[in-house]
Amino acid sequence: MKLTAIASILAGAALTLPAVAQDRTDWPSSLSISTGSQGGAYFVWGSGLATMIGETLDLGTSVEVTGGPVQNVVLVEVGETLLGFTTMGPAQEVMDGESELMPGMEAANLRALFPMYQTPLQAVVLADSGISSIEDLEGRRVNMGPASGTSATYWQRYFDSAGMEINASFAGASDGAGQLGDGLIDAFVYAAGLPTGAFSQLAIENDVTFLPLSDENISAFTSAVPTMQRFTIPAGTYNGQDVDVPSVAMWNFAIANAAMPESLAYEITKLVLENNPRMRQIHASAVETLSENWEKNTFMPFHPGAVRYFEEIGITIPAELR
């Protein structure tokens, strides 16, 4: 009787084991996540997610430091990494064959997993710099983040469209903030989720000013980049920032290569969207990492594993996004 009872319990347990325990024969032996520069939101996000995947799915996961979204979409598209993060502007450009890293080649392997958060453009200067507007950056030494990142790509487009000449440099978030604090540059313009760690540290150590975008600046950005939209950096985001700062932003999504096993894509999507409190502990921007924000993606097919999860919770993904 006891043996029979134990056998019955084991059989029942087998039926209720999660998919990760039953169907991982085609999973990779390890996983890497294409993120961004150290000090940026992507790197923090990726480090936290890698830990969650390792703990929950028992899959060794590492973080790749990259130039950001522009490079990430290429790395995921060619299968160099199976998982990465991107803003929607670079993703749409690579899918349309307009990426500077893959000119003339339309991406066919990018798949959306889940919405992350909005990335606002941010511009910071030392408070005693005498700089009070974006126009004041004319002729100044300005770091724009990694050369292939969202920040450098779209800030440069703005400066070009406005006919502004700047003395540009390209360094990651931590290095750029350090250079500004040391007086080696006049301004640091960037794009990252709130709060950006490097900016938080900079604002603690220095008296800084976050430059607002005027209505004219915002109109120029949204005209040049349709995936941009108005955004407000709330007062109190950074130390000493006592007023709202008008800006623009783009949505971020986690993306996967189409070759990622369906069950793995399902488990990662479920892991993130069903553990929002844990995600918010990793980075405050995850307050926007909600299943209902799937609709912020209007052009990239969702991975079948992600579609499976969304359908389980009652969300129907349109046919054109499958």
Side-chain angles (χ1 to χ4, degrees):
M1 288 293 293
K2 290 183 178 180
L3 290 176
T4 302
I6 292 172
S8 297
I9 292 170
L10 291 174
L15 291 175
T16 58
L17 284 174
V20 61
Q22 293 186 34
D23 179 19
R24 55 188 302 164
T25 55
D26 56 350
W27 284 25
S29 58
S30 62
L31 188 68
S32 62
I33 307 174
S34 293
T35 61
S37 63
Q38 292 184 351
Y42 274 10
F43 184 80
V44 177
W45 248 84
S47 299
L49 180 56
T51 298
M52 287 180 66
I53 292 173
E55 292 175 352
T56 308
L57 305 184
D58 193 27
L59 177 64
T61 304
S62 61
V63 173
E64 299 290 335
V65 175
T66 72
V70 177
Q71 184 179 7
N72 291 349
V73 289
V74 174
L75 291 172
V76 174
E77 165 65 20
V78 301
E80 190 71 23
T81 55
L82 290 179
L83 178 62
F85 305 146
T86 186
T87 39
M88 300 311 276
Q92 186 156 37
E93 288 178 8
V94 75
M95 291 186 69
D96 292 341
E98 298 173 357
S99 169
E100 61 186 44
L101 299 182
M102 291 177 56
M105 297 178 60
E106 294 184 15
N109 298 314
L110 293 182
R111 298 293 183 269
L113 288 183
F114 55 84
M116 295 171 65
Y117 57 89
Q118 295 181 79
T119 284
L121 298 192
Q122 304 172 64
V124 65
V125 298
L126 296 180
D128 61 1
S129 66
I131 298 172
S132 60
S133 70
I134 299 300
E135 286 73 20
D136 289 343
L137 299 180
E138 176 79 36
R140 303 282 191 155
R141 300 166 299 172
V142 181
N143 180 64
M144 299 198 296
S148 62
T150 297
S151 174
T153 299
Y154 292 106
W155 275 108
Q156 188 63 61
R157 288 185 190 177
Y158 173 78
F159 292 134
D160 289 344
S161 66
M164 292 176 59
E165 294 286 341
I166 62 167
N167 183 3
S169 60
F170 305 95
S174 295
D175 288 342
Q179 290 169 13
L180 182 63
D182 292 338
L184 301 176
I185 56 175
D186 300 306
F188 181 18
V189 298
Y190 200 54
L194 300 179
T196 301
F199 280 10
S200 295
Q201 189 64 33
L202 178 68
I204 291 172
E205 297 175 348
N206 302 271
D207 188 7
V208 299
T209 297
F210 288 86
L211 301 180
L213 268 62
S214 66
D215 286 342
E216 291 76 14
N217 299 149
I218 291 172
S219 294
F221 268 118
T222 55
S223 295
V225 187
T227 50
M228 290 278 191
Q229 58 188 23
R230 284 179 176 267
F231 186 88
T232 299
I233 300 173
T237 298
Y238 299 108
N239 185 60
Q241 181 218 334
D242 300 326
V243 298
D244 291 345
V245 177
S247 185
V248 292
M250 283 192 291
W251 269 90
N252 296 270
F253 267 70
I255 56 173
N257 185 280
M260 176 181 280
E262 180 177 334
S263 59
L264 177 56
Y266 168 85
E267 292 293 345
I268 292 174
T269 302
K270 180 177 181 178
L271 176 66
V272 170
L273 294 180
E274 293 193 351
N275 289 278
N276 191 255
R278 172 77 180 273
M279 297 305 302
R280 294 200 309 271
Q281 289 178 352
I282 292 170
H283 199 281
S285 64
V287 68
E288 295 184 303
T289 308
L290 305 172
S291 57
E292 55 262 37
N293 286 327
W294 71 269
E295 62 184 7
K296 304 303 181 181
N297 167 35
T298 60
F299 60 87
M300 189 189 308
F302 280 91
H303 194 287
V307 171
R308 175 183 156 199
Y309 173 74
F310 284 118
E311 289 185 338
E312 281 187 2
I313 62 173
I315 293 174
T316 301
I317 302 298
E320 62 270 22
L321 292 178
R322 291 170 176 263

